[in-house]
Amino acid sequence: MLLRLRVTLPDRPGTLGQVARTLGVSGADIVQVVVLERLGGRAVDDFTVVWPGAARVERMLAGLGAIPGVRVDGVWRAIGAPTTTGQDAELLAQVAANPADGLATLVDAVPGLLAADWAVAAVVPVDWASRAGGGDATVGHASWRAPVPPQLPEVTPLRARSMTTPDGTHYAVAPFGRAGLVLVVAREHTDPLTAAAFHSTEVDRLAQLVRASAVILGDRLDLVGTPSVTVGS
């Protein structure tokens, strides 16, 4: 199976090599490494690896934990192939080529780009957070792995951000800037794996895709509010 690991490690020569060797000895085949952050002598890297289905993840985590200064922030199943340069531009080109299905194209593609489980485009009341007990959101489109009905966090269409709910589900949310429409992307907690929260670079990437899609789709987004599925917070 394909796994994503988020590892925080000292930003010094040799440490990345130790991590790579440990992954290899454990049975993982590294197919991609993405640097999310380098700050204050520390780095945050995402590794995408092919992992033997019969192997125990605990062995790999124990090996990584034995490296001085290394911390595993999350390990979870990845959907589809690792992301490559140019995929965001290709996605936006697809949205522009068929704007009638542009929102659906975006929602269906984002989970694969961000190693998430599912995504929905929802119309959210502006005063969601101020309502007693939350409010209702109308789902305009949901990706194929989204639960029915999807459980959405209490969001307001103000700014892109990440959040985690008490059940351990991680969300990244980005507003389209019109009609109360937001894109919600989720990583679910699935024992024994524990997904990492969305990093600020992932939230920024999502926000850029949403802003560009909003420019491309324009007034079409105002039509998304037709009730199809209504969910509570």
Side-chain angles (χ1 to χ4, degrees):
M1 60 182 174
L2 202 63
L3 291 181
R4 181 71 61 88
L5 291 94
R6 180 158 302 163
V7 179
T8 298
L9 64 157
D11 189 13
R12 60 172 181 260
T15 305
L16 181 58
Q18 286 181 279
V19 171
R21 284 192 297 273
T22 300
L23 291 174
V25 170
S26 301
D29 181 15
I30 300 174
V31 294
Q32 187 181 60
V33 181
V34 176
V35 179
L36 296 177
E37 177 183 309
R38 276 199 170 99
L39 183 67
R42 304 283 290 174
V44 180
D45 295 347
D46 270 5
F47 294 82
T48 302
V49 303
V50 176
W51 181 252
R56 293 177 61 86
V57 174
E58 291 84 355
R59 175 189 175 191
M60 175 174 59
L61 299 180
L64 293 173
I67 304 174
V70 170
R71 183 183 75 237
V72 178
D73 297 326
V75 53
W76 67 102
R77 289 178 180 267
I79 300 173
T83 59
T84 58
T85 303
Q87 281 189 318
D88 291 7
E90 181 180 349
L91 172 57
L92 293 173
Q94 294 174 2
V95 171
N98 186 11
D101 294 325
L103 182 63
T105 299
L106 177 68
V107 173
D108 289 340
V110 160
L113 294 180
L114 296 180
D117 291 302
W118 51 268
V120 298
V123 179
V124 178
V126 175
D127 60 346
W128 179 304
S130 65
R131 293 187 182 189
D136 293 328
T138 299
V139 174
H141 185 79
S143 66
W144 72 277
R145 294 189 65 187
V148 180
Q151 295 299 311
L152 304 182
E154 291 188 2
V155 295
T156 51
L158 300 177
R159 60 181 177 84
R161 63 197 184 279
S162 63
M163 62 189 72
T164 300
T165 52
D167 66 357
T169 302
H170 301 298
Y171 294 93
V173 181
F176 285 83
R178 62 191 305 155
L181 187 64
V182 296
L183 183 57
V184 181
V185 188
R187 287 181 186 143
E188 296 180 335
H189 175 79
T190 306
D191 289 327
L193 305 180
T194 302
F198 288 92
H199 191 269
S200 58
T201 58
E202 295 176 304
V203 176
D204 289 344
R205 184 184 184 188
L206 179 65
Q208 291 170 8
L209 284 169
V210 167
R211 285 195 299 265
S213 297
V215 172
I216 294 170
L217 298 177
D219 294 342
R220 291 179 181 272
L221 295 178
D222 297 332
L223 305 177
V224 178
T226 303
S228 55
V229 180
T230 301
V231 299
S233 60

